[in-house]
Amino acid sequence: MAPVCRPRTKFGAGTPELSPMLKTIRELCRWRDLIRNMVLRNLRVRYKGSVLGFLWTMISPLFMMLIYFLFLRLLRIPIDLPELLIGILAWTFFATCLSDAVVVITAAPSLVKRTPFPKLVMPAAMILANLINFLLSLLVLAGFLAVSIIFFGYRSAAGWSLLALPGVIILNLALVAGLSSFLACLNVYFRDTEHLISILLLAWFFMTPIMYPLERALGSLSPALFSLYCLNPMVAVVSLYRFVFLGTAPPAAAGFYISMAVCLLTMVLGTAFFLRREPYFADEL
């Protein structure tokens, strides 16, 4: 059982009224000690018994990049390797969070039933643990890009675009937080969710420009269909990461800008759904 901490501060009756989302964020901040303990536990469990332990967080993406580099060169597949790697890293973070979120509540029934704390802490801690891995992967990616530019003459238009990285990560987190909260709650009531999610993620993977450039979708689809395609929020996330690291311009389609708003809306709706059903979790588990 994870160590359970008490909230840091208590707010009195005179605390000014806040919007529901700000209240949720403030409640999570009050339980930051518990979140920190859960994040550390998640990281320890992931690398328990491993000789290299936490180093695998950086070794895995490094080997993945080297393998893609070697095979794409040997097979002469016409794919821009940095674009491919950025897409894969962004997708891996997204898919890992959703796969972990599905069982984050149902896998700990005794903790949910016996310990009084905001259950939103559980998906939040899971996301933060995966975020640490993702940020370290981005560091490896930055090193890989530097080597590609210096030794292999790869041309990147990135510059000031790197300053947008925190904003892109926040947008990515908003999407992941909303969907993770929704799926974690949904699986409490509908256990088939954890079996369906892998199928849905596979279909979603191919609807996102990861293994192919966005220009191919632009050239293959009519303008109306391309706008619909851009409503996929992961199109916006992957395109923005490529803009940050490679300086490639995001699509000008209206759907692209709408999908960024969808990321924020997903966080609000997913969190609201979770909070509304949270009081009944113990009865269902």
Side-chain angles (χ1 to χ4, degrees):
M1 178 183 296
V4 176
C5 306
R6 294 186 178 281
R8 279 291 183 90
T9 56
K10 291 184 178 179
F11 295 88
T15 304
E17 284 294 325
L18 297 172
S19 69
M21 185 51 63
L22 288 178
K23 284 182 180 177
T24 303
I25 294 173
R26 192 177 68 174
E27 187 68 11
L28 290 176
C29 290
R30 290 179 61 203
W31 290 87
R32 56 187 176 275
D33 288 342
L34 176 59
I35 293 176
R36 185 183 65 244
N37 289 337
M38 285 186 167
V39 169
L40 293 175
R41 187 201 61 171
N42 287 340
L43 294 175
R44 289 192 194 105
V45 168
R46 181 170 301 176
Y47 300 108
K48 184 178 181 181
S50 167
V51 174
L52 296 178
F54 195 69
L55 287 175
W56 280 113
T57 303
M58 299 189 76
I59 292 174
S60 294
L62 178 62
F63 273 98
M64 181 195 73
M65 291 176 192
L66 288 175
I67 290 169
Y68 272 106
F69 175 77
L70 290 174
F71 277 90
L72 288 180
R73 286 224 158 194
L74 286 173
L75 300 176
R76 297 182 179 179
I77 298 175
I79 298 178
D80 187 80
L81 180 60
E83 280 195 19
L84 175 65
L85 294 176
I86 290 170
I88 287 176
L89 290 180
W91 179 262
T92 301
F93 172 59
F94 174 75
T96 304
C97 284
L98 266 55
S99 300
D100 291 349
V102 171
V103 295
V104 74
I105 299 294
T106 54
S110 58
L111 183 65
V112 173
K113 290 179 181 177
R114 299 174 185 173
T115 312
F117 69 99
K119 305 307 179 287
L120 193 60
V121 162
M122 299 171 77
M126 177 275 300
I127 291 170
L128 288 177
N130 285 322
L131 177 63
I132 291 172
N133 288 326
F134 179 56
L135 293 179
L136 291 173
S137 300
L138 292 184
L139 280 179
V140 175
L141 173 69
F144 182 87
L145 289 175
V147 170
S148 299
I149 292 170
I150 295 171
F151 295 103
F152 296 97
Y154 182 80
R155 293 186 177 181
S156 170
W160 291 106
S161 61
L162 289 169
L163 296 176
L165 181 59
V168 177
I169 292 175
I170 290 173
L171 192 71
N172 195 359
L173 280 176
L175 176 64
V176 165
L179 289 175
S180 296
S181 302
F182 174 74
L183 291 172
C185 178
L186 187 64
N187 196 46
V188 172
Y189 298 92
F190 183 57
R191 298 301 174 87
D192 291 328
T193 305
E194 61 187 89
H195 303 290
L196 288 172
I197 189 64
S198 57
I199 300 171
L200 293 174
L201 283 174
L202 180 62
W204 201 336
F205 176 81
F206 286 105
M207 290 190 295
T208 304
I210 296 171
M211 301 298 291
Y212 55 89
L214 186 63
E215 290 75 16
R216 180 166 296 181
L218 177 61
S220 305
L221 301 173
S222 66
L225 284 177
F226 183 70
S227 289
L228 285 175
Y229 171 84
C230 288
L231 286 175
N232 172 5
M234 278 305 290
V235 172
V237 170
V238 171
S239 299
L240 287 172
Y241 277 121
R242 285 172 176 162
F243 166 71
V244 167
F245 287 104
L246 304 178
T248 53
F256 169 75
Y257 299 99
I258 295 173
S259 69
M260 287 195 289
V262 169
C263 292
L264 302 176
L265 185 63
T266 301
M267 181 180 69
V268 174
L269 296 179
T271 305
F273 180 70
F274 185 99
L275 294 176
R276 185 167 185 176
R277 303 305 307 176
E278 178 187 345
Y280 311 105
F281 283 175
D283 298 331
E284 297 292 332
L285 294 174

